[in-house]
Amino acid sequence: MATRFENGIVVTLGQNNRVIWNGSVVTDGENIASVGDAAELKKQYPDAEAVDCAGKIVLPGFICAHHHFYSTMARGMSIPGQPASNFVEILERLWWKVDKAIEGEDIKLSAQIPLIECIRNGTTTIIDHHASPSMRDGSLDLIEAVVREAGLRASLCYEVSDRNAKGGGIAENERFIKKIGKGDGQIAAMMGLHASFTVSDETVETCVGIAKDAGVGCHIHVAEDAADREDSLAKYGVPTVERLHKLGVTGEKSIFVHCVHIDESEMDTIAATKTIVVHNPESNMNNAVGVTQLLKLLGKGILVGLGTDGMASDMLSQMRCAYLLHRLDNHDPRVAFMEAPQLLLGNNVDIVERQFGIRVGELAEGLPADMAILDYYPPTPLDENNFLGHLIFGLTDANVNMTVCRGKILMKNKQIISMDEERIAARSRELAPQMWKRLQAID
Ligand SMILES: [Zn+2]
């Protein structure tokens, strides 16, 4: 069944970005059948169902290249003891208790809430990093089921760490990677690892072996805080990236998240191995860990994407945060105007292609029908040449009205169709206090 999303301002993005006023995107099944002038496509596809997009701007769906669905239930929770004064204390006092305290239905609900938020924000593809040491086995299946129910795309992995049990999570990743295989374009699998400072050489080597056999990449936090760098230097005599490179973790499908505390030669290793870096500016600011040298990484030709690290699911605000942060950090109002949107609209698309084997992020014939449709009346002329100005200063504050993924309308007029938001939030409010109680009992 074909559908015409018509009368909006269509921004195709991709290599030959076009802005089409009174445009139309015709979808047929999971893909786009045609993009062009609304009146013309109405003649060509007279029988297609019409969805009026007047007063709206039609963009490709957004991508979050690093998320943690499991962090949801920590929202609003009070943390016992003194406030954490550094990154390692934040992990020890908060996140390593949160992941231990969630189990069963919590895992499902704590994925469903951010999936709803992704739909609300037009984020249609997510690369997630999961942890639930009290219930590792089968946890990725629970998340896969709710991603499919939501109608979104996600790459999933379990974060392997030696901190609770040696090699904890390897079996879950191996099982899930085998189950997913090459994937169906909706679900993909990676080998997850927590971070260099919580995994032994033996654990990393086992993970790399499984990943290489299956042809998937590793997804790992790298030098988020100076503590990760110091740990690697003290234990192995080399900085984090060099240690991971020696163990075979680098490669064009692998994702090194953060890379805040890396030196020039580590950047060169990342560039030479075509390893992906994902930048999470809001999270870095929240944890006060430092500033990723984004412009330097891009200057070396490294593929740097954009993620939220579990803090949010709104990619436009994350993009604007990157824009503001790197202007301030460089004390230079000439930078980041091109680079911040490039991470989200270009580089994240390349990252998804490496993980899922499909090309999203562009509205063109034959490509997946993933769209974010926002309420927006441009107050000034809008065309290909000034789109980024509208993106950063207008669209970031616009409401997503409709979200489409794989040709299905998941939200229309801001009403989520694929999930029962009210019921899911109510059930999460019921279970969260029990999860908080279990967390307080953890030493
Ligand atoms: Zn993370």
Side-chain angles (χ1 to χ4, degrees), residues 20 24 84 105 126 149 200 213 230 280 292 306-307 386 407 435:
I20 310 165
S24 176
E105 199 181 346
I126 305 106
E149 182 190 293
S200 65
D213 286 348
E230 286 155 15
N280 304 266
T292 300
L306 190 67
N386 70 358
M435 179 279 208

Side-chain angles (χ1 to χ4, degrees), residues 69-73 98-114 130-132 134-135 142-143 146 427-436 438:
F69 292 153
Y70 76 86
S71 61
T72 306
M73 280 192 176
V98 168
D99 64 17
K100 250 191 208 165
I102 59 169
E103 54 192 42
E105 199 181 346
D106 304 335
I107 297 173
K108 187 179 153 187
L109 287 162
S110 60
Q112 281 175 315
I113 302 286
H130 173 69
S132 53
S134 299
M135 191 200 150
L142 290 176
I143 300 171
V146 293
R427 181 66 180 147
S428 179
R429 279 197 305 279
E430 249 170 46
L431 289 190
Q434 299 170 32
M435 179 279 208
W436 292 0
R438 285 196 300 277

Side-chain angles (χ1 to χ4, degrees), residues 4 80 122 157 196 319 386:
R4 299 191 316 263
C157 70
S196 170
M319 179 275 300
N386 70 358

